[in-house]
Amino acid sequence: MRAITVIQLVPRLDAGGAERSTLEIADALVRAGHRSIVVSGGGRLVQRLVAAGSEHVTLGIGAKSIGTLRHALALRRLFADAAPDIVHARSRLPAWLGWWAARRVSPRPHFVTTVHGRNTPGFYSGVMLRGERIVCVSESVRRYVLEHYPRVAVERIEVIPRGVDPVAFPHGYAPDAAWRERYAQEFPQLRSLPVLLMPARGTRLKGHLDAIRVVAELERTHGVRAALLLAGAREPGRKGYVAELESLARELGVEARVVVTPPRDDVRELMASAACV
């Protein structure tokens, strides 16, 4: 089997399912002897990506600004130089830029998309259905796509569920004493309280506001004082959203028991230590 070149397009490499999938596919490509290139606006996961053997090209292809359109020309040059066999887009704006650029090079690469969530239906989101093959991360997403885009050929859609790596997240895992001590020092307000953990990006669709209401309702209705750890919600560009979360926590009187953190690398330990995830 000949080696192929695959270019993945993603807004940033900080945290999230799309980002983790990008790294997993990149790692699998490299281990199989192929060339893996990822284009993104950068982020904390770039170092891990490159260390595993992939190449990274920094372009702000996810920034929602009219100036982002200029990156389509840079992508076209990249596609012409790298001659990718496949361009794989994982988000709408990168998909539009990649789709435009891929159509303007020869030989034209195959264009693949992954629909990671329930994007607002319409022309803008419809670019995710322009892939020769369309990956949906769940049956729910597949049904959503077919409901809102009934003209999409069913045979072009493939469901590849997001999963859990049992090696990275082994059943029965327990953090060591050193980590528990660091955790206690970092979050003294969580001591002696059952912790509800929500590891998720800082976006409204994840349900952070509902989680805060749950903590307040647990005490009001059941007399249970629990803490809430929103791991990963404090992301760049999300200051307004985080302020909204903190404002609701104050309004409901649980601000001392709600902690919002940036993306972290110790999610396994946090999950193993929480009362509920």
Side-chain angles (χ1 to χ4, degrees):
M1 182 180 68
R2 74 175 182 88
I4 64 172
T5 297
V6 178
I7 297 182
Q8 297 186 80
L9 308 177
V10 66
R12 287 189 57 82
L13 284 174
D14 284 313
E19 292 78 4
R20 184 170 291 276
S21 291
T22 300
L23 263 66
E24 290 171 352
I25 292 297
D27 180 60
L29 287 167
V30 171
R31 286 189 284 106
H34 303 300
R35 184 184 183 190
S36 165
I37 303 173
V38 175
V39 181
S40 84
R44 68 188 188 93
L45 298 177
V46 170
Q47 184 176 358
R48 186 185 306 179
L49 173 83
V50 174
S54 289
E55 303 167 46
H56 182 264
V57 177
T58 303
L59 280 177
I61 57 175
K64 294 180 179 178
S65 164
I66 191 67
T68 303
L69 297 178
R70 73 185 188 278
H71 295 315
L73 296 175
L75 284 179
R76 185 174 68 176
R77 290 193 294 269
L78 173 64
F79 295 172
D81 292 341
D85 297 272
I86 297 172
V87 172
H88 186 168
R90 297 180 175 276
S91 185
R92 291 173 292 177
L93 185 50
W96 275 114
L97 300 176
W99 177 79
W100 182 90
R103 289 167 58 86
R104 284 158 177 79
V105 296
S106 181
R108 184 185 296 182
H110 295 288
F111 187 65
V112 176
T113 57
T114 292
V115 184
H116 284 273
R118 298 183 175 193
N119 297 320
T120 303
F123 178 77
Y124 179 62
S125 298
V127 68
M128 302 308 294
L129 289 312
R130 297 195 180 204
E132 296 173 44
R133 291 292 185 270
I134 304 160
V135 178
C136 291
V137 297
S138 68
E139 287 289 349
S140 173
V141 170
R142 177 182 179 274
R143 290 194 299 269
Y144 184 83
V145 165
L146 292 175
E147 176 186 354
H148 293 284
Y149 301 92
R151 294 184 179 181
V152 174
V154 175
E155 59 270 19
R156 288 168 51 211
I157 300 177
E158 186 75 26
V159 175
I160 304 178
R162 290 292 300 129
V164 175
D165 182 351
V167 175
F169 293 84
H171 178 68
Y173 175 82
D176 59 32
W179 181 89
R180 291 197 299 271
E181 178 60 29
R182 290 194 301 272
Y183 175 79
Q185 292 177 1
E186 184 176 4
F187 304 118
Q189 67 271 53
L190 304 185
R191 291 178 180 176
S192 304
L193 291 173
V195 175
L196 310 183
L197 171 67
M198 190 172 185
R201 294 185 298 109
T203 180
R204 192 175 307 278
L205 62 88
K206 298 297 183 181
H208 298 100
L209 293 165
D210 292 325
I212 294 172
R213 295 186 183 100
V214 165
V215 170
E217 187 67 15
L218 279 172
E219 182 173 21
R220 187 182 72 83
T221 305
H222 302 286
V224 175
R225 284 179 56 82
L228 175 64
L229 179 54
L230 301 176
R234 193 180 295 277
E235 292 185 293
R238 301 289 184 175
K239 290 183 179 179
Y241 180 61
V242 172
E244 184 180 351
L245 299 179
E246 293 172 340
S247 175
L248 178 63
R250 285 193 300 273
E251 177 186 330
L252 297 179
V254 295
E255 69 274 18
R257 292 181 277 129
V258 174
V259 178
V260 187
T261 80
R264 302 173 62 94
D265 291 324
D266 59 350
V267 172
R268 175 185 60 180
E269 286 77 10
L270 293 176
M271 292 178 73
S273 304
C276 180
V277 181

Coordinates of all heavy atoms in Angstrom, one line a residue, residues 192-196 211-228 252-254 257-258 275-276:
S192 N -14.0 18.0 51.3 CA -15.1 17.5 52.1 C -16.5 17.6 51.5 O -17.5 17.5 52.1 CB -15.2 18.2 53.5 OG -13.9 18.0 54.2
L193 N -16.5 17.9 50.1 CA -17.8 18.0 49.4 C -17.8 17.0 48.3 O -16.8 16.7 47.6 CB -17.9 19.4 48.8 CG -18.2 20.5 49.8 CD1 -18.1 21.9 49.0 CD2 -19.5 20.4 50.5
P194 N -19.0 16.4 48.0 CA -19.1 15.6 46.8 C -19.0 16.5 45.6 O -19.6 17.5 45.5 CB -20.5 15.0 46.9 CG -21.3 15.9 47.8 CD -20.3 16.4 48.8
V195 N -18.1 16.1 44.6 CA -17.8 16.9 43.5 C -18.5 16.4 42.2 O -18.4 15.2 41.9 CB -16.3 17.0 43.2 CG1 -16.0 17.8 41.9 CG2 -15.6 17.7 44.4
L196 N -19.3 17.3 41.6 CA -19.9 17.0 40.3 C -18.9 17.5 39.3 O -18.7 18.7 39.2 CB -21.3 17.6 40.2 CG -22.2 17.4 41.3 CD1 -23.6 18.0 41.0 CD2 -22.4 15.9 41.6
A211 N -26.0 22.7 34.8 CA -25.2 22.0 35.9 C -25.2 22.9 37.1 O -25.3 22.4 38.3 CB -23.8 21.7 35.4
I212 N -25.0 24.2 36.9 CA -25.0 25.1 38.1 C -26.3 25.1 38.8 O -26.4 25.1 40.0 CB -24.6 26.6 37.6 CG1 -23.2 26.6 37.1 CG2 -24.8 27.6 38.8 CD1 -22.8 27.9 36.5
R213 N -27.4 25.1 38.0 CA -28.8 25.0 38.6 C -29.0 23.7 39.4 O -29.6 23.7 40.4 CB -29.8 25.2 37.5 CG -29.8 26.5 36.8 CD -31.0 26.7 35.9 NE -30.9 28.0 35.1 CZ -30.4 28.1 33.9 NH1 -30.0 27.1 33.2 NH2 -30.4 29.3 33.3
V214 N -28.4 22.6 38.9 CA -28.5 21.3 39.6 C -27.9 21.4 41.0 O -28.4 20.9 41.9 CB -27.8 20.2 38.7 CG1 -27.6 19.0 39.6 CG2 -28.6 19.9 37.5
V215 N -26.7 22.1 41.0 CA -26.0 22.2 42.3 C -26.9 23.0 43.3 O -27.0 22.6 44.5 CB -24.6 22.9 42.2 CG1 -24.0 23.2 43.5 CG2 -23.7 21.9 41.4
A216 N -27.5 24.0 42.8 CA -28.3 24.8 43.7 C -29.6 24.0 44.1 O -30.0 24.1 45.3 CB -28.7 26.1 43.0
E217 N -30.1 23.3 43.2 CA -31.4 22.5 43.4 C -31.1 21.4 44.4 O -32.0 21.0 45.2 CB -32.0 22.0 42.1 CG -33.3 21.4 42.3 CD -34.4 22.4 42.7 OE1 -34.2 23.6 42.6 OE2 -35.5 21.9 43.1
L218 N -29.9 20.8 44.3 CA -29.6 19.7 45.2 C -29.7 20.1 46.7 O -30.2 19.4 47.5 CB -28.2 19.2 44.9 CG -28.0 18.2 43.8 CD1 -26.6 17.9 43.5 CD2 -28.8 16.9 44.1
E219 N -29.2 21.3 46.9 CA -29.2 21.8 48.3 C -30.6 22.3 48.7 O -31.1 22.0 49.8 CB -28.2 23.0 48.4 CG -28.2 23.6 49.9 CD -27.1 24.6 50.0 OE1 -26.6 25.2 49.0 OE2 -26.7 24.8 51.2
R220 N -31.3 23.0 47.8 CA -32.6 23.5 48.1 C -33.6 22.4 48.3 O -34.4 22.5 49.3 CB -33.1 24.4 47.0 CG -34.4 25.2 47.3 CD -34.8 26.0 46.1 NE -35.4 25.2 45.1 CZ -36.6 24.7 45.0 NH1 -37.4 25.0 46.0 NH2 -37.0 24.0 44.0
T221 N -33.6 21.4 47.5 CA -34.6 20.4 47.6 C -34.2 19.2 48.4 O -35.1 18.6 49.1 CB -34.9 19.8 46.1 OG1 -35.3 20.9 45.3 CG2 -36.1 18.8 46.2
H222 N -32.9 18.8 48.4 CA -32.5 17.6 49.1 C -31.5 17.9 50.3 O -31.1 16.9 50.9 CB -31.8 16.6 48.1 CG -32.7 16.3 47.0 ND1 -33.8 15.4 47.1 CD2 -32.7 16.7 45.7 CE1 -34.4 15.2 46.0 NE2 -33.8 16.0 45.1
G223 N -31.1 19.1 50.5 CA -30.2 19.4 51.5 C -28.8 18.9 51.3 O -28.0 18.8 52.2
V224 N -28.4 18.7 50.0 CA -27.1 18.1 49.7 C -26.2 19.3 49.2 O -26.5 19.9 48.2 CB -27.2 17.1 48.6 CG1 -25.8 16.6 48.2 CG2 -28.0 15.9 49.1
R225 N -25.1 19.6 50.0 CA -24.2 20.6 49.5 C -23.1 19.9 48.7 O -22.2 19.2 49.2 CB -23.5 21.3 50.7 CG -24.5 22.3 51.4 CD -23.8 22.9 52.7 NE -22.5 23.5 52.3 CZ -22.4 24.8 51.8 NH1 -23.5 25.5 51.6 NH2 -21.2 25.3 51.6
A226 N -23.2 20.1 47.4 CA -22.2 19.6 46.4 C -21.4 20.7 45.8 O -21.9 21.9 45.7 CB -22.9 18.7 45.4
A227 N -20.3 20.4 45.2 CA -19.5 21.3 44.5 C -19.5 20.9 43.0 O -19.8 19.8 42.7 CB -18.0 21.3 45.0
L228 N -19.2 21.9 42.2 CA -19.2 21.7 40.7 C -17.9 22.1 40.1 O -17.5 23.3 40.3 CB -20.4 22.5 40.1 CG -20.5 22.4 38.6 CD1 -20.7 21.0 38.1 CD2 -21.6 23.4 38.1
L252 N -27.5 32.3 42.4 CA -28.1 31.1 43.1 C -27.4 30.8 44.4 O -27.8 29.9 45.1 CB -28.0 29.9 42.2 CG -28.8 30.0 40.9 CD1 -28.6 28.7 40.0 CD2 -30.3 30.3 41.1
G253 N -26.4 31.6 44.8 CA -25.8 31.4 46.1 C -24.8 30.3 46.2 O -24.5 29.8 47.3
V254 N -24.3 29.8 45.0 CA -23.4 28.7 45.1 C -22.0 29.0 44.5 O -21.2 28.1 44.2 CB -24.0 27.5 44.3 CG1 -25.2 27.0 44.9 CG2 -24.2 27.9 42.8
R257 N -18.9 27.3 45.6 CA -18.7 25.8 45.3 C -18.7 25.5 43.8 O -18.9 24.4 43.4 CB -19.9 25.1 46.0 CG -19.8 25.1 47.5 CD -20.9 24.3 48.1 NE -22.2 25.1 48.2 CZ -23.4 24.7 47.8 NH1 -23.5 23.5 47.2 NH2 -24.4 25.5 48.0
V258 N -18.6 26.5 43.0 CA -18.5 26.3 41.5 C -17.1 26.8 41.0 O -16.7 28.0 41.2 CB -19.6 27.1 40.8 CG1 -19.4 27.0 39.3 CG2 -21.0 26.5 41.2
A275 N -17.6 12.5 42.5 CA -18.7 11.7 42.9 C -19.6 11.4 41.7 O -20.3 10.4 41.6 CB -19.5 12.5 44.0
C276 N -19.6 12.3 40.7 CA -20.5 12.2 39.5 C -19.9 12.9 38.4 O -19.3 14.0 38.6 CB -21.9 12.7 39.8 SG -23.1 12.5 38.5

